[in-house]
């Protein structure tokens, strides 16, 4: 299955190869660990950096007072590769040695989707106002934050005006094994299901006033685009 460390893998292959708490979120692997203090978090990060240097493959690391959040994706291809799977395993081993527990809250990612009749007419505005950059190699985004901190933006081509509905919506990427629970909670909280036509790639939900959100997973995404 794995030809070289940088060989892109399918989301299904990655999901089968990694252990808790790692999950495929969009085009990356994500996990988070509770560290109780920043000092312990710093030690954890230092060991991760040592492992990353040894592997010549590096994660994105977000250090908080009581937690460390990790994202793995091969930067040259915006895809998950065998190198990411291997480093995820090494990080999980480090966490186990340090007796660190995964965070209870599932990892997720926000994307901003903008509907447009003329995508190229509005792309420069959003690139300028957000301070983003074009990212033509990215499979799940059109514009990205150069610092990698803010949500990606992608444009959806409209075939006709839709004045009756919002022209923007949020994509929330969730682990495939928690999306049903999250959707049930949203519906119990007054939301409604707009469509499950494209499930399990995504479900469209709306609040009581019609504002929409897509709950997205990696599953069955080929040829599928969010609403």
């Amino acid at each position: 299955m794995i030809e070289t460390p940088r060989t892109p893998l399918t989301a299904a292959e990655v999901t089968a190869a990694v252990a808790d708490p790692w999950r495929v979120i969009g085009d990356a692997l994500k996990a988070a660990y509770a560290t109780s203090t920043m000092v312990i978090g710093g030690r954890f990060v230092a060991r991760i950096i040592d492992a990353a240097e040894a592997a010549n493959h590096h994660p994105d690391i977000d250090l908080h007072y009581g937690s460390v959040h990790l994202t793995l994706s091969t930067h040259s291809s915006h895809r998950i590769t065998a190198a990411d799977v291997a480093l995820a395993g090494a990080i999980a081993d480090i966490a186990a040695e340090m007796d660190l527990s995964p965070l209870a809250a599932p990892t997720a990612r926000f994307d901003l989707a903008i509907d447009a009749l003329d995508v190229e007419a509005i792309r420069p505005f959003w690139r300028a106002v957000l301070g983003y950059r074009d990212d033509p190699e990215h499979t799940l985004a059109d514009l990205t934050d150069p610092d990698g901190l803010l949500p990606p933006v992608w444009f959806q081509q409209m075939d006709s005006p839709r004045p009756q509905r919002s022209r923007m919506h949020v994509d929330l990427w969730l682990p495939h094994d928690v999306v049903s629970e999250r959707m049930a909670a949203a519906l119990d909280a007054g939301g409604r299901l707009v469509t499950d036509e494209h499930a399990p790639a995504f479900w469209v939900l709306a609040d009581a006033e019609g504002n929409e959100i897509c709950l997205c997973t990696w599953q069955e995404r080929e040829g599928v685009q969010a609403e």
Side-chain angles (χ1 to χ4, degrees):
M1 178 183 73
I2 298 174
E3 298 177 0
T4 70
R6 299 301 190 273
T7 299
L9 304 176
T10 67
E13 289 172 334
V14 174
T15 298
V18 297
D20 286 339
W22 291 96
R23 292 292 188 275
V24 176
I25 304 292
D27 51 10
L29 267 174
K30 288 181 176 285
Y33 289 90
T35 54
S36 70
T37 71
M38 187 164 281
V39 171
I40 294 174
R43 293 172 183 161
F44 183 35
V45 169
R47 292 194 59 183
I48 292 171
I49 292 173
D50 288 342
E53 285 294 301
N56 192 29
H57 193 69
H58 303 89
D60 292 327
I61 304 173
D62 191 4
L63 173 62
H64 291 254
Y65 173 75
S67 61
V68 172
H69 301 252
L70 300 149
T71 301
L72 282 168
S73 180
T74 298
H75 299 112
S76 60
S77 62
H78 298 291
R79 298 283 301 278
I80 305 172
T81 67
D84 299 303
V85 171
L87 187 54
I91 293 171
D93 289 343
I94 293 169
E97 291 170 9
M98 295 183 65
D99 198 27
L100 301 179
S101 299
L103 283 183
T107 301
R109 186 185 92 184
F110 272 117
D111 289 358
L112 177 63
I114 302 174
D115 298 341
L117 288 170
D118 187 345
V119 171
E120 295 310 312
I122 69 169
R123 180 197 295 265
F125 169 81
W126 287 104
R127 183 173 58 231
V129 75
L130 295 173
Y132 277 23
R133 65 185 177 195
D134 289 311
D135 205 341
E137 300 301 320
H138 204 297
T139 58
L140 294 175
D142 295 309
L143 302 175
T144 55
D145 175 16
D147 298 322
L149 299 176
L150 299 178
V153 171
W154 67 278
F155 299 99
Q156 177 166 274
Q157 181 64 52
M158 299 172 61
D159 52 11
S160 61
R162 282 179 274 180
Q164 77 280 4
R165 58 169 281 187
S166 172
R167 296 285 292 275
M168 293 186 188
H169 68 270
V170 172
D171 285 349
L172 178 62
W173 289 84
L174 291 170
H176 69 285
D177 52 353
V178 305
V179 66
S180 294
E181 179 182 356
R182 183 68 63 86
M183 182 163 50
L187 296 176
D188 287 345
R192 64 181 177 88
L193 177 65
V194 177
T195 180
D196 60 0
E197 177 184 357
H198 302 290
F202 67 91
W203 292 258
V204 182
L205 276 61
D207 66 15
E209 294 193 359
N211 301 302
E212 295 182 357
I213 182 170
C214 292
L215 300 186
C216 306
T217 79
W218 60 262
Q219 295 178 302
E220 299 181 23
R221 297 207 60 80
E222 186 173 352
V224 172
Q225 189 175 46
E227 291 288 307

